[in-house]
Amino acid sequence: MTGVEKYLKEVKSYATSFVTFGDGAKGEIKGIGRLIDHGLPKLENVLLVKGLTANLISISQLCDQGMKVNFTKNECLVSNNGGDILMRGVRSKDNCYLWIPLKEANVSTCHLTKNEEVKLWHQKLGHLNLKSMKRVISEEAIKGLPSLQIQEGNICGECQIGKQIKVSHQKLQHLSTSRVLGLLHMDLMGPIQVESLGGKKYVLVVVDDFSRYTWVNFIREKSETFEEFKNLCLQLQKEKDCGIVRIRSDHGKEFENSKFADFCAAEGITHEFSSPITPQQNGVVERKNRTLQESARVMLHAKNVPYKFWAEAMNTTCYIHNRVTLRKGTTTTLYELWKNKKPTVKYFHVFGSKCYILADREPRRKLYPKSDEGIFLGYSTNSRAYKVFNSRTRTMMESINVVVDDSDTTSADPAEETDVITPIPTLDDDQTEPEPDQHSESTTEAPRPNKGPSTRTQKNHPLELVIGNPNQGIATKRSKEVISNSCFISKIEPKNVKEALTDEYWINSMQEELTQFKRSEVWDLVPRPDGINVIGTKWVYKNKTDENGDITRNKARLVAQGYTQIEGVDFDETFAPVARLESIRLLLAVACILKFKLYQMDVKSAFLNGYLNEEVYVEQPKGFVDPSFPNHVYKLKKALYGLKQAPRAWYERLTEFLVSHGYKKGGNDKTLFVREEKGKLMIAQIYVDDIVFGGMSRQMVEHFVHQMQSEFEMSLVGELTYFLGLQVKQMEDTIFISQEKYARNIVKKFGMEGGSHKRTPAPTHLKLTKDEKGIDVDQSLYRSMIGSLLYLTASRPDIMFAVGVCARYQSEPKMSHLTQVKRIFKYVNGTFGYGILYSHGNDSTLVGYCDADWARSADNRKSTSGACFFLGSNLVSWFSKKQNSVSLSTAEAEYIAAGSSCSQLLWMRQMLKEYSVEQDVMTLYCDNLSAINISKNPIQHSRTKHIDVRHHFIRELVEEKIVTLEHIASEEQLADIFTKALDANQFEKLRGKLGICLFEDK
């Protein structure tokens, strides 16, 4: 069939007046005839169809005329019974077969049809749209353009490829449902960049189509969507006593899954989906999302409420809009359409306003305040109460006894509630309004730890008892130099590349990482070599925090999957030294003696500076594959994080640089570099890409910084404040180290923040055994708790003994062991801010205390050794460990402990030589006279024969006057805290003598 009449001859009328196309459109049949002979195939019974823009050949009609049609991958051939080729067609890009003449003829432009002439001019004019062409011709605006008959609606394939847009979606002018629950629109909003108080990141928004009444539910993970929807569904059907007919959502996997399908099938609900990538078809809930977000944003900023209250703001927004918004086309509110009664707003207050909460939850003395200040955060969803945040108890509450100061113009102080982690329940929006004459109330505050005696303080104190300046006012985060660009970072760490590519901040971080690769000339893109091991790559995402726990930047690190490396092919030697935490504490003590300040620097992408000796290839990073060369790989010129040899390559590069600039590498600690100039020292301690340094001259420090910055790019240079989890506070004459942030995190991680506090980490009757008949506990949980506590001992030697005893039972932990571990967490929970205080002084003498608890282990009767070591008055090192062999007497156990302590003293003595701090005779205090006499008695007799020879080297140290053993009374033995569980008074006494205290900013 054709639409061009001049192609036909002998045209006759046709009985059927219309032909129907695949899209349902109809074309009028003007007649039937035979094709002319001018270069066209010889076909009969060809239909003339009005408006047809393409010429079509019917395969069935050819077969009816006795022809044979053969289709191949590239062409189509039509032949007669004799095998003569009558017609030929070639396959096009859109999988159609286009007829071509057997003998191609040059058809001049003058023979073109009118449609082809229009198409030609359309192409000449740069595919100008037909409407504009028609106007130009009618206005005669340009010369040389013939008067073309243009029919709009003709399709140009090239224009569709280059100009096609989305189909417009007209608004419905009528209600599509006749009752509530006829159709529910759903969508999941998020993730929100800041977690709510309850740790939520997503909002499930559900809108009833008939009433437009809205519900919001807050969830942490997308996987929780089904349970929230199921609970809401059952509640709504119960409330209205009718079923849900249809639900509508997008194709998100949180909605399109087997759980939703099974539930909808069981409840008789039809699940409709909007077309892929077409949110307009789910416009009801999409517009509601925007309304909720914008209103919540306004309410947060109007009163400067912290972002963590976004869930309360959005819940309040939904609550208000349900009651004040009129359904389009009606004069009725959404609330009235759903509840069949008019709402009232007489109890409404301004979100974020200051409020006063009656203090009726705790026993109150006569002169105590009757109310607490707080922030008004909305309305309860299941009672006639207000939702408020109590600034004193730092908890969310629901109470009717609230007075809200709507006229208050002051804003909430975001810093005041920065650390609030109290979870609050998320409830549906349906509730009854609070009324002033009602006295019911409920509270949703988290359990508060029982600290023994009441910690409540009076508001009014005598001025002589007030610490600091009372007129200074409250210190806000702004006055504490909060990170100025905190609004330009993401608070959530993505789990994979797919999530990261949806967040502009993480995209910027990944781009920054790849830009660093380019600047450092890390790799070259090359064709994939044959027979070569190509290592995969992976993105690792981490939020970097400061010593206060505030997120300072988003760090995306591209790492190589080193586990796929082959030894001898991709790598050879991998060892690289790492600084011990003891070395860091020793450096802090030396800084107090030499009286200089310590600084830190972080080398940006340090491993990218190490040169490789092997030929290594890696895959292109996911999400950033070169579209021109998708199968190419990168050949590394420098080390990449994750490679087995990367730490060594970086260490060698840094060592070579420092040694070339006059620094001497430590003999005992290979990560220590010292430079002496005119009697003044410049010290640098290396821990992978973190460098702690300090010097006795400011010029030396500045020179070192300038040298490093000229060779390596730095991401941080400044005073030492946070290093390997240690929070460091440097004052004029003291240094305080702690792990307060880490301690809070692990207590929260294992759910112990609500437990009662303990004065000691272990009871005095502590006597753990294998307890083979006890109840088994989760081994991985137990090991995780022990591992977390062991790292905390880096600044908390007071828990060393208790943690060490519990760590002996990691292979088969029982309930009795877990109970003791929880006891340690309860102690830590009450002593978050404790740490070690280092004081400036001139005393540089090494002193040690050693002790042993004989045959304490009930399993094998082995003894426990414990010791601590001071440089001057500052605690540097300590240990608490079970001895390897069974001791036959107390003297033997004490002597073995003394031997281990001497080894530690010798190591510290050699380390101090690197700092040019010489030692004379080192003193080791022991409370066992027999052990001291054995060390001084050169005669071998029966009492000491059974003692292992390896522990007798202490005699040589005493004879050479390197170490001297002195007696100390048992009650003054500081090492007691590392060998046995003490009563609270003795424990706190020894803890204070070790220098462990609570630091308070003044």
Side-chain angles (χ1 to χ4, degrees):
M1 61 182 70
T2 181
V4 184
E5 188 174 354
K6 64 167 60 178
Y7 286 169
L8 300 177
K9 60 182 179 180
E10 300 176 7
V11 180
K12 303 176 183 178
S13 61
Y14 193 71
T16 305
S17 58
F18 292 96
V19 62
T20 304
F21 301 107
D23 60 354
K26 293 184 178 182
E28 182 182 356
I29 300 176
K30 293 293 187 178
I32 186 171
R34 187 158 52 92
L35 286 179
I36 61 176
D37 298 329
H38 298 291
L40 297 177
K42 297 180 180 179
L43 295 178
E44 297 181 353
N45 299 326
V46 178
L47 297 178
L48 176 61
V49 181
K50 182 180 179 181
L52 184 63
T53 58
N55 301 316
L56 305 176
I57 301 176
S58 171
I59 302 302
S60 61
Q61 193 173 346
L62 292 176
C63 294
D64 291 339
Q65 294 180 10
M67 300 180 188
K68 296 180 180 179
V69 183
N70 181 30
F71 287 92
T72 65
K73 181 179 180 181
N74 298 318
E75 63 179 4
C76 167
L77 300 175
V78 180
S79 59
N80 57 19
N81 291 330
D84 298 326
I85 302 299
L86 302 179
M87 285 187 293
R88 181 172 176 265
V90 294
R91 186 173 178 174
S92 63
K93 292 182 179 179
D94 54 358
N95 295 326
C96 292
Y97 288 81
L98 304 178
W99 169 83
I100 58 174
L102 296 177
K103 294 181 180 180
E104 296 187 5
N106 294 325
V107 182
S108 63
T109 306
C110 63
H111 291 149
L112 294 175
T113 65
K114 291 182 178 180
N115 284 341
E116 289 172 332
E117 189 176 10
V118 171
K119 183 176 181 180
L120 180 61
W121 276 103
H122 171 64
Q123 294 172 347
K124 286 182 177 181
L125 297 177
H127 289 271
L128 182 67
N129 65 82
L130 298 180
K131 186 175 181 180
S132 297
M133 285 181 62
K134 198 171 182 179
R135 185 181 177 190
V136 167
I137 293 171
S138 64
E139 298 290 342
E140 297 182 355
I142 56 179
K143 297 179 180 179
L145 184 63
S147 180
L148 303 173
Q149 298 298 321
I150 299 176
Q151 294 181 354
E152 293 185 40
N154 293 340
I155 296 176
C156 171
E158 292 86 352
C159 286
Q160 295 305 310
I161 293 172
K163 302 180 181 180
Q164 185 166 349
I165 60 174
K166 293 183 178 181
V167 177
S168 61
H169 298 266
Q170 301 298 327
K171 291 185 179 180
L172 293 177
Q173 303 300 326
H174 60 280
L175 294 177
S176 59
T177 51
S178 58
R179 67 170 180 87
V180 293
L181 300 185
L183 172 61
L184 294 182
H185 302 270
M186 301 184 304
D187 192 34
L188 193 65
M189 187 196 314
I192 308 299
Q193 301 299 331
V194 182
E195 290 186 4
S196 70
L197 283 185
K200 311 299 183 183
K201 297 188 291 186
Y202 295 90
V203 188
L204 175 62
V205 183
V206 181
V207 182
D208 176 61
D209 184 77
F210 179 77
S211 64
R212 292 295 199 266
Y213 196 86
T214 307
W215 297 265
V216 288
N217 294 277
F218 304 98
I219 57 178
R220 180 169 181 80
E221 302 291 343
K222 287 186 176 184
S223 57
E224 302 171 20
T225 303
F226 170 70
E227 288 300 324
E228 287 292 334
F229 166 74
K230 178 183 176 182
N231 295 335
L232 179 63
C233 255
L234 297 176
Q235 174 194 330
L236 298 182
Q237 291 182 136
K238 188 82 170 177
E239 179 183 348
K240 289 301 179 183
D241 197 22
C242 63
I244 297 172
V245 180
R246 293 179 293 154
I247 59 174
R248 183 177 298 164
S249 68
D250 56 27
H251 281 276
K253 294 304 179 184
E254 62 272 15
F255 297 119
E256 191 176 12
N257 55 55
S258 58
K259 290 183 179 179
F260 260 90
D262 294 342
F263 177 75
C264 291
E267 295 291 327
I269 300 173
T270 302
H271 194 167
E272 299 177 352
F273 295 97
S274 58
S275 298
I277 321 177
T278 313
Q280 297 91 332
Q281 291 186 347
N282 204 21
V284 172
V285 69
E286 294 287 354
R287 285 189 292 273
K288 183 66 71 174
N289 286 350
R290 177 179 175 181
T291 301
L292 295 176
Q293 287 185 64
E294 290 178 344
S295 298
R297 189 183 301 118
V298 169
M299 291 197 301
L300 288 173
H301 286 276
K303 287 290 186 178
N304 198 22
V305 177
Y307 289 152
K308 64 191 170 192
F309 292 118
W310 64 264
E312 284 69 32
M314 200 163 290
N315 205 27
T316 304
T317 296
C318 182
Y319 183 94
I320 294 172
H321 278 257
N322 279 337
R323 285 157 177 77
V324 301
T325 305
L326 300 181
R327 175 72 162 95
K328 189 174 182 180
T330 71
T331 58
T332 312
T333 62
L334 315 183
Y335 182 88
E336 185 174 355
L337 285 173
W338 180 260
K339 295 282 190 180
N340 296 320
K341 63 178 181 180
K342 285 186 180 294
T344 178
V345 296
K346 62 183 179 182
Y347 59 91
F348 276 19
H349 293 286
V350 179
F351 181 88
S353 295
K354 182 189 291 185
C355 65
Y356 301 90
I357 312 149
L358 182 65
D360 54 358
R361 307 296 166 86
E362 301 172 354
R364 185 176 58 84
R365 297 187 178 182
K366 293 293 184 183
L367 298 180
Y368 279 7
K370 294 189 67 176
S371 66
D372 296 325
E373 288 189 10
I375 304 174
F376 172 73
L377 294 177
Y379 315 92
S380 173
T381 55
N382 61 358
S383 67
R384 298 184 175 185
Y386 295 112
K387 293 177 70 173
V388 293
F389 179 79
N390 191 314
S391 299
R392 180 182 66 84
T393 63
R394 303 177 72 79
T395 56
M396 287 293 302
M397 301 175 62
E398 290 186 8
S399 176
I400 195 65
N401 300 312
V402 177
V403 177
V404 183
D405 185 6
D406 291 325
S407 61
D408 179 51
T409 57
T410 60
S411 300
D413 184 6
E416 206 168 7
E417 292 86 24
T418 298
D419 299 322
V420 178
I421 55 172
T422 308
I424 60 173
T426 303
L427 303 164
D428 298 325
D429 188 62
D430 184 21
Q431 75 157 67
T432 309
E433 302 89 332
E435 295 181 5
D437 57 348
Q438 301 295 325
H439 300 283
S440 61
E441 56 188 316
S442 63
T443 305
T444 58
E445 55 183 303
R448 297 169 58 197
N450 179 15
K451 299 182 181 178
S454 172
T455 58
R456 179 163 181 165
T457 57
Q458 299 181 20
K459 284 191 173 180
N460 299 320
H461 304 275
L463 287 178
E464 62 270 15
L465 298 180
V466 176
I467 299 174
N469 181 10
N471 299 320
Q472 186 176 357
I474 299 174
T476 64
K477 285 185 74 174
R478 186 175 299 277
S479 66
K480 293 183 179 180
E481 299 180 358
V482 67
I483 303 302
S484 59
N485 64 339
S486 61
C487 56
F488 300 108
I489 57 177
S490 175
K491 304 291 184 182
I492 299 175
E493 293 178 0
K495 296 178 182 177
N496 49 51
V497 180
K498 186 176 180 181
E499 284 188 18
L501 291 175
T502 62
D503 191 320
E504 61 175 312
Y505 304 115
W506 284 110
I507 293 175
N508 293 337
S509 181
M510 291 188 286
Q511 290 282 13
E512 182 183 353
E513 175 81 349
L514 295 179
T515 303
Q516 179 68 24
F517 283 20
K518 187 175 182 180
R519 284 199 299 266
S520 302
E521 298 181 352
V522 174
W523 54 23
D524 291 324
L525 189 65
V526 299
R528 184 183 298 268
D530 296 329
I532 295 296
N533 181 40
V534 179
I535 303 168
T537 57
K538 179 184 179 182
W539 285 106
V540 177
Y541 306 99
K542 184 69 175 176
N543 283 330
K544 295 289 187 178
T545 59
D546 59 11
E547 66 274 13
N548 298 318
D550 297 319
I551 298 175
T552 57
R553 65 189 180 106
N554 303 131
K555 179 60 181 175
R557 175 81 71 193
L558 183 68
V559 300
Q561 294 173 321
Y563 57 84
T564 62
Q565 287 184 263
I566 302 173
E567 187 173 2
V569 177
D570 298 317
F571 72 96
D572 290 314
E573 188 61 51
T574 63
F575 171 76
V578 177
R580 297 165 58 180
L581 285 172
E582 284 176 308
S583 301
I584 303 300
R585 292 194 296 264
L586 186 62
L587 176 59
L588 291 171
V590 170
C592 288
I593 294 173
L594 301 180
K595 297 181 179 60
F596 61 79
K597 183 169 286 189
L598 290 173
Y599 302 87
Q600 66 183 128
M601 61 172 57
D602 185 3
V603 181
K604 195 169 187 177
S605 301
F607 285 3
L608 304 185
N609 294 289
Y611 294 105
L612 291 178
N613 299 320
E614 303 85 5
E615 196 171 86
V616 182
Y617 295 88
V618 296
E619 298 283 1
Q620 296 188 50
K622 295 177 182 177
F624 296 88
V625 177
D626 191 325
S628 303
F629 306 100
N631 295 320
H632 280 39
V633 295
Y634 282 109
K635 181 181 179 181
L636 294 181
K637 296 191 290 185
K638 295 183 180 179
L640 200 63
Y641 282 85
L643 291 179
K644 293 182 183 295
Q645 65 267 44
R648 183 176 183 84
W650 157 243
Y651 173 75
E652 290 176 347
R653 170 81 189 283
L654 181 61
T655 300
E656 180 184 350
F657 173 76
L658 291 176
V659 171
S660 66
H661 284 79
Y663 286 84
K664 182 181 178 182
K665 184 166 64 173
N668 296 285
D669 186 353
K670 302 300 181 182
T671 63
L672 177 65
F673 294 85
V674 181
R675 180 184 178 189
E676 187 174 356
E677 184 178 316
K678 297 180 181 179
K680 294 184 178 181
L681 295 180
M682 177 67 204
I683 301 169
Q685 186 86 51
I686 313 300
Y687 191 94
V688 191
D689 56 349
D690 291 314
I691 302 174
V692 178
F693 62 97
M696 301 173 67
S697 164
R698 185 170 182 83
Q699 289 75 15
M700 295 178 73
V701 172
E702 292 176 351
H703 181 63
F704 175 76
V705 172
H706 178 71
Q707 284 180 325
M708 293 295 292
Q709 288 179 334
S710 65
E711 181 72 10
F712 308 106
E713 188 172 351
M714 300 294 171
S715 61
L716 172 68
V717 178
E719 184 179 327
L720 177 62
T721 58
Y722 192 64
F723 183 75
L724 300 179
L726 292 175
Q727 296 166 241
V728 183
K729 293 184 176 69
Q730 299 187 72
M731 282 73 70
E732 186 176 349
D733 55 356
T734 56
I735 299 176
F736 182 76
I737 65 170
S738 69
Q739 292 172 280
E740 180 179 358
K741 174 197 165 191
Y742 176 76
R744 290 184 184 276
N745 287 342
I746 63 174
V747 169
K748 180 183 177 182
K749 174 183 177 182
F750 297 109
M752 298 298 295
E753 65 267 36
S756 59
H757 296 179
K758 299 294 183 182
R759 290 179 65 186
T760 62
T764 53
H765 59 271
L766 175 65
K767 197 169 185 180
L768 292 180
T769 64
K770 289 183 178 180
D771 193 11
E772 295 177 349
K773 296 182 180 180
I775 302 173
D776 292 330
V777 297
D778 185 357
Q779 193 178 88
S780 61
L781 171 65
Y782 187 84
R783 289 180 175 179
S784 179
M785 297 174 81
I786 291 295
S788 299
L789 289 171
L790 282 173
Y791 188 69
L792 185 59
T793 59
S795 65
R796 295 294 300 274
D798 49 333
I799 65 172
M800 189 74 205
F801 168 71
V803 176
V805 171
C806 294
R808 300 172 187 173
Y809 303 99
Q810 294 184 72
S811 59
E812 294 182 9
K814 304 294 182 180
M815 183 57 71
S816 58
H817 308 142
L818 182 61
T819 301
Q820 172 53 34
V821 172
K822 289 184 177 180
R823 162 79 182 234
I824 302 174
F825 273 98
K826 290 177 181 179
Y827 169 73
V828 173
N829 192 23
T831 56
F832 282 136
Y834 279 69
I836 305 176
L837 185 67
Y838 292 87
S839 303
H840 287 198
N842 297 319
D843 185 4
S844 60
T845 306
L846 266 180
V847 178
Y849 296 80
C850 69
D851 189 31
D853 192 22
W854 180 57
R856 171 65 66 173
S857 175
D859 296 319
N860 50 26
R861 290 303 172 188
K862 290 182 179 179
S863 305
T864 300
S865 298
C868 55
F869 308 92
F870 292 81
L871 180 60
S873 60
N874 298 322
L875 180 64
V876 174
S877 180
W878 56 86
F879 67 79
S880 174
K881 57 186 177 181
K882 187 164 65 172
Q883 294 180 1
N884 296 328
S885 58
V886 178
S887 299
L888 301 181
S889 65
T890 305
E892 180 182 350
E894 295 276 1
Y895 192 68
I896 293 173
S900 299
S901 301
C902 286
S903 299
Q904 184 69 12
L905 282 173
L906 286 178
W907 176 82
M908 295 177 67
R909 185 172 185 255
Q910 293 169 342
M911 283 292 297
L912 288 171
K913 282 185 179 180
E914 310 282 356
Y915 296 110
S916 299
V917 178
E918 297 292 338
Q919 294 294 316
D920 192 9
V921 180
M922 298 177 291
T923 304
L924 181 63
Y925 290 100
C926 177
D927 61 359
N928 188 281
L929 288 172
S930 297
I932 295 175
N933 292 332
I934 292 173
S935 69
K936 295 180 179 179
N937 186 1
I939 301 174
Q940 186 83 5
H941 52 75
S942 60
R943 186 173 182 183
T944 61
K945 283 181 181 178
H946 60 276
I947 300 178
D948 197 295
V949 177
R950 70 178 182 274
H951 297 291
H952 281 267
F953 83 99
I954 189 173
R955 284 185 178 175
E956 296 182 8
L957 298 177
V958 172
E959 291 173 359
E960 294 174 5
K961 295 184 179 181
I962 296 174
V963 176
T964 178
L965 265 68
E966 300 292 342
H967 182 261
I968 189 172
S970 296
E971 58 270 16
E972 298 298 325
Q973 174 59 273
L974 301 186
D976 257 6
I977 201 171
F978 300 105
T979 59
K980 57 182 72 70
L982 305 172
D983 64 83
N985 292 331
Q986 181 67 4
F987 176 83
E988 290 173 352
K989 173 187 173 183
L990 296 183
R991 184 181 67 185
K993 288 187 175 182
L994 289 174
I996 305 170
C997 60
L998 176 64
F999 177 81
E1000 295 180 352
D1001 281 314
K1002 296 185 179 180

